[in-house]
């Protein structure tokens, strides 16, 4: 799997809500090599502050050599990224990690919560592109705390043509509640492949429910990462029996049954 250290150029910065930003970068090498579920490491500033690279899942990639990242401003690093100007240069390392496995012959249900929505757009597009049959049985469920986390990306999912439902914790957009409630009431076919990304409690609930229902489930795990390449051990995660995996190398996508979840 090729990886590149690429000097990318900012081509667009969209402030989709007060906190949520979508950044488009011209990154021909990474765009041609990446797959849904993979991530990149970005250094937010060329100086020493902030020093470390940060991981971002790939939100979209296209054949014209662009990648997109979707993130929330949560600190100095993301604030710097959010205020980049078109034409500025950003050093990006990637694509990194294990991608989602796409099975084009079965129905799918994509569940994205909060920033877990980010990789789901790329995945939904690739699934729609690769399927030869109908996507009528397919479903996307997006959730967030409030309207600003979900509404700005709904049009992109609607364009793909897969049925998309939204829910927010405060009821300001879509139904009021959690993605797991929509998932449980969705009457999915028995051979559905579920894909999930979001906060740990959400993914735990989705994974355990899928196990009960005997549904296949792939999850993309969020983790603190300093190197993204297996060198710092900062992303290790217990999987039971005293064993650990590295989210950056062994994931971030896992079969949900491989991981240990708190019920
Ligand atoms: Fe350094 Fe995974 S982020 S080992």
């Amino acid at each position: 799997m090729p990886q590149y250290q690429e000097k990318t150029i900012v081509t667009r910065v969209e402030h989709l809500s007060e906190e949520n930003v979508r950044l488009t970068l011209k990154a021909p090498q990474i765009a041609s090599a990446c797959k849904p579920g993979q991530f990149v490491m970005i250094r937010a500033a060329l100086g020493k502050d902030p020093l470390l690279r940060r991981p971002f899942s790939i939100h979209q990639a296209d054949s014209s050599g662009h990648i997109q990242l979707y993130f929330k401003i949560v600190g100095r690093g993301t604030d710097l990224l959010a205020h980049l100007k078109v034409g500025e240069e950003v050093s990006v390392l990637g694509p990194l990690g294990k991608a989602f496995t796409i099975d084009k012959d079965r129905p799918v249900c994509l569940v994205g919560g909060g920033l877990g929505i980010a990789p789901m757009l790329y995945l939904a597009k690739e699934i729609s592109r690769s399927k030869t049959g109908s996507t009528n049985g397919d479903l996307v469920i997006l959730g967030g705390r409030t309207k600003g986390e979900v509404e700005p990306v709904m049009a992109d999912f609607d364009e793909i043509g897969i049925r998309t439902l939204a829910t927010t914790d405060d009821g300001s957009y879509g139904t009021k509640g959690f993605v797991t409630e929509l998932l449980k009431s969705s009457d999915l076919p028995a051979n559905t492949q579920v894909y999930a990304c979001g906060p740990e409690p959400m993914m735990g609930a989705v994974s355990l429910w899928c196990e009960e229902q005997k549904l296949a489930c792939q999850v993309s795990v969020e983790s603190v990462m300093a190197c993204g390449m297996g060198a710092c051990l900062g992303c290790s995660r217990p999987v039971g029996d005293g064993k650990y995996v590295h989210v950056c190398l062994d994931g971030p996508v896992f079969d949900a049954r491989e991981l240990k979840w708190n019920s």
Side-chain angles (χ1 to χ4, degrees):
M1 176 74 63
Q3 287 165 354
Y4 304 96
Q5 170 92 53
E6 195 166 12
K7 278 186 183 166
T8 70
I9 305 292
V10 177
T11 59
R12 199 170 180 198
V13 185
E14 299 166 83
H15 288 258
L16 299 181
S17 69
E18 210 171 300
E19 298 176 311
N20 290 54
V21 179
R22 181 149 61 188
L23 183 67
T24 308
L25 302 168
K26 182 82 176 168
Q29 291 176 308
I30 294 172
S32 67
C34 64
K35 293 193 165 51
Q38 290 190 295
F39 65 98
V40 293
M41 298 291 287
I42 296 192
R43 185 174 299 160
L46 291 177
K48 288 185 178 166
D49 175 27
L51 183 63
L52 295 178
R53 290 180 180 275
R54 283 136 201 269
F56 294 86
S57 60
I58 299 170
H59 179 51
Q60 295 200 74
D62 66 27
S63 54
S64 65
H66 294 89
I67 61 168
Q68 279 190 334
L69 313 172
Y70 175 62
F71 59 92
K72 180 180 281 200
I73 303 172
V74 290
R76 183 160 159 71
T78 43
D79 190 56
L80 282 167
L81 287 178
H83 291 93
L84 286 168
K85 300 278 179 287
V86 169
E88 283 191 271
E89 209 173 75
V90 186
S91 168
V92 182
L93 174 67
L96 299 166
K98 207 174 97 185
F100 288 110
T101 303
I102 295 176
D103 183 341
K104 56 185 174 31
D105 297 320
R106 57 201 289 191
V108 298
C109 177
L110 280 58
V111 186
L115 283 183
I117 290 173
M120 291 301 161
L121 184 60
Y122 189 15
L123 178 62
K125 284 191 172 177
E126 284 302 306
I127 287 171
S128 160
R129 236 193 303 265
S130 64
K131 275 202 167 179
T132 44
S134 159
T135 57
N136 283 349
D138 297 342
L139 177 65
V140 176
I141 300 173
L142 304 179
R145 281 176 311 155
T146 189
K147 184 177 177 174
E149 292 189 0
V150 184
E151 188 197 27
V153 293
M154 279 300 280
D156 296 297
F157 282 92
D158 285 341
E159 253 178 38
I160 302 169
I162 297 178
R163 188 164 69 102
T164 303
L165 304 176
T167 180
T168 47
D169 298 2
D170 63 3
S172 55
Y173 189 74
T175 57
K176 185 175 190 309
F178 300 123
V179 289
T180 39
E181 291 159 16
L182 279 182
L183 177 67
K184 289 176 185 175
S185 63
S186 293
D187 200 17
L188 301 175
N191 62 337
T192 300
Q193 169 69 62
V194 176
Y195 299 93
C197 185
E200 184 76 13
M202 178 210 109
M203 285 206 293
V206 170
S207 300
L208 293 171
W209 182 77
C210 286
E211 198 174 332
E212 273 168 35
Q213 304 299 311
K214 303 196 178 354
L215 292 174
C217 179
Q218 294 176 41
V219 292
S220 176
V221 174
E222 295 174 347
S223 173
V224 174
M225 290 186 196
C227 73
M229 305 189 78
C232 73
L233 308 184
C235 66
S236 59
R237 179 189 168 114
V239 288
D241 296 334
K243 294 190 181 130
Y244 287 80
V245 288
H246 288 125
V247 173
C248 67
L249 280 186
D250 303 312
V253 174
F254 296 89
D255 183 315
R257 290 167 303 185
E258 288 175 45
L259 302 178
K260 195 169 175 329
W261 302 101
N262 295 321
S263 47

